[in-house]
Structure formats: structure tokens, C-alpha cells
Amino acid sequence: EEWSKAEKLPYHKTTRTQLLQIEKTIQEVFSVQLAINDTVSCESLKIALDEKLKGKTRQIVNRIRIAEFIEKEIMSDEDMKRWTKYGYEHLKSYIEDFEKVYGRPVYNHEFDDRVFRLFMAEVRRKNNRYNSVTNIYKTLRATLNKIKRTYKVPVFNPTEELPKSEKQANIKPAKVYLNFEQIQCVMMHKPQSKQQENVKLIFLTLLFTGCRYSDVF
């Protein structure tokens, strides 16, 4: 009975003023957080509002389990694109598997260059595709940066703290062209089925119009 459903505000003038002031403060804090961090999580907004509205000092967060952060703070974003979410899900799976080998959960404050190297060695052991390993490396780096922005805690930075020889970067496949002798071998090949015959004709047509073998493949 104290609430105006039409105006979505209290009837009492003093209470209404207080509520509007709180709303204004929330909007201002949100805008500042967004300008500083590019993104605003529920947790980071709550911490900032506690400081502003209640005068509480920032809660010191010493331990953040990386796999849990991915699940609760990153993958919970409903607007995230499917392939981006798949990349984070893939990373989370690798981290959880690494935790079993490592013998304990992996937290941000323990994730130094030694643990990073152990983790990447385990990733390479399970995945021999160089560019796939690079994608995991980049997603992990993005996750650590998100933890840093959200909780204002120091995290391991592979870009700054690793030597150039240990940094992962995608490799562009070589542009392979077939020479005349190789094309001649294709021409002489006798297909064993109608489907293979069609493949051969399409293959030769593309090669003779200047396509690379890597494009045709």
C-alpha cells in the first residue's frame, strides 16, 4: 500500500527521493565501472556499490579458482557467441583435466610461470594441432585478464612475463601449388568409381584455373 504501481515509486516523498538517489548512484557507478573495465560483472558492480552506498571497503579476494570463474563469470553471459563460449568451455575442460594431474585446484594467485608451463605442456601432450593449442593459450590469457579486471587482483601475464620463444601464435599454412609433373599424374590416374571420376575432373578444372592445391583441398 506504500507503493505506486503506476509510477513504480513509493508514495512517500522522502522515501521516493532516497530511492531515486540510490538509482542514480547505481547508474553512475555502473558507467564508471564500464568505462574503466570495458565489461561489468554482477560481482564487480556489487563490490563497487558496497563501497559507494554502504561505505564498505573492498573485499580482498585472494583466491579465484580459474575453472569456476570461467563457468560462473564468463560462460553465464547469454549474449556470448556460440563459438566464443565453446572456446571457453574447451579451456575449462583442459584446466579441470590438468587439476587432476596437478593434484589440486588451480587458483589465480598460484598460477605463475611454472604452473603455466606445466599446463601448456599438458595441453600439447593431448593436442598436437599447433593452432588449436594457440587458441587455448589466447583464451587462457583473456580469462586471466578478465579476472584481473573483475577483482582487481594481480594475475600472471604470458604476454609480458614469457620470453618470445614461449609465446604461442597461429601459423599460416604454406600456399602449396602443384607443379606440371604432379598435375600430369592426376591426369593419368584412373578413377575406380563415378564419384572419384567427378572429383578428378573438378580437381583438374580448379587447378587449371589457377587455384592452389591448399584451396582445392
Side-chain angles (χ1 to χ4, degrees):
E1 58 269 19
E2 295 181 9
W3 184 260
S4 170
K5 292 183 179 179
E7 296 181 282
K8 296 182 179 179
L9 288 168
Y11 288 118
H12 194 276
K13 188 175 180 180
T14 303
T15 310
R16 176 181 293 214
T17 302
Q18 289 175 340
L19 182 59
L20 289 172
Q21 184 58 48
I22 291 173
E23 183 180 22
K24 181 182 177 184
T25 304
I26 292 172
Q27 291 172 343
E28 289 174 353
V29 170
F30 182 88
S31 298
V32 170
Q33 289 288 306
L34 190 62
I36 294 173
N37 303 318
D38 294 330
T39 59
V40 180
S41 69
C42 296
E43 185 62 28
S44 66
L45 182 60
K46 177 185 180 298
I47 293 170
L49 287 171
D50 279 344
E51 291 181 9
K52 187 78 174 178
L53 296 176
K54 302 178 183 178
K56 293 172 65 176
T57 56
R58 181 183 298 276
Q59 181 184 4
I60 302 301
V61 179
N62 293 321
R63 300 202 321 165
I64 301 158
R65 187 182 172 197
I66 298 175
E68 287 184 0
F69 180 85
I70 293 172
E71 181 178 358
K72 294 179 180 178
E73 296 281 351
I74 298 179
M75 292 175 58
S76 60
D77 183 359
E78 295 180 355
D79 297 327
M80 182 179 287
K81 293 181 179 178
R82 183 167 60 91
W83 284 111
T84 304
K85 185 171 288 189
Y86 173 78
Y88 281 107
E89 188 177 358
H90 203 45
L91 171 62
K92 176 176 171 286
S93 175
Y94 269 99
I95 291 175
E96 289 174 338
D97 288 345
F98 173 72
E99 288 177 337
K100 296 174 185 176
V101 176
Y102 190 54
R104 62 178 184 270
V106 177
Y107 292 91
N108 67 300
H109 70 295
E110 298 175 334
F111 198 80
D112 53 14
D113 58 338
R114 182 186 68 85
V115 180
F116 174 84
R117 289 186 175 95
L118 289 173
F119 171 71
M120 291 305 300
E122 187 66 15
V123 171
R124 293 187 188 98
R125 186 184 70 81
K126 298 175 66 176
N127 192 331
N128 58 7
R129 296 172 61 190
Y130 188 89
N131 285 350
S132 295
V133 174
T134 301
N135 290 336
I136 294 169
Y137 166 83
K138 289 180 177 179
T139 308
L140 173 61
R141 188 177 60 190
T143 300
L144 294 172
N145 285 333
K146 285 179 184 289
I147 291 174
K148 180 181 179 179
R149 290 197 303 268
T150 301
Y151 291 102
K152 303 296 185 289
V153 292
V155 296
F156 175 70
N157 188 332
T159 304
E160 296 178 358
E161 301 181 49
L162 285 179
K164 189 175 181 180
S165 59
E166 293 187 48
K167 294 175 184 176
Q168 291 278 140
N170 285 327
I171 296 176
K172 293 183 178 179
K175 298 178 180 180
V176 180
Y177 292 88
L178 298 189
N179 59 36
F180 182 73
E181 288 75 17
Q182 290 170 326
I183 295 174
Q184 205 166 29
C185 288
V186 178
M187 293 171 63
M188 294 172 62
H189 173 68
K190 303 297 183 184
Q192 301 299 310
S193 67
K194 184 66 177 176
Q195 184 184 27
Q196 289 183 11
E197 185 179 347
N198 289 335
V199 170
K200 172 186 173 180
L201 291 173
I202 293 170
F203 188 25
L204 288 172
T205 302
L206 291 169
L207 290 175
F208 280 117
T209 52
C211 287
R212 299 174 302 217
Y213 168 74
S214 51
D215 290 337
V216 176
F217 182 79

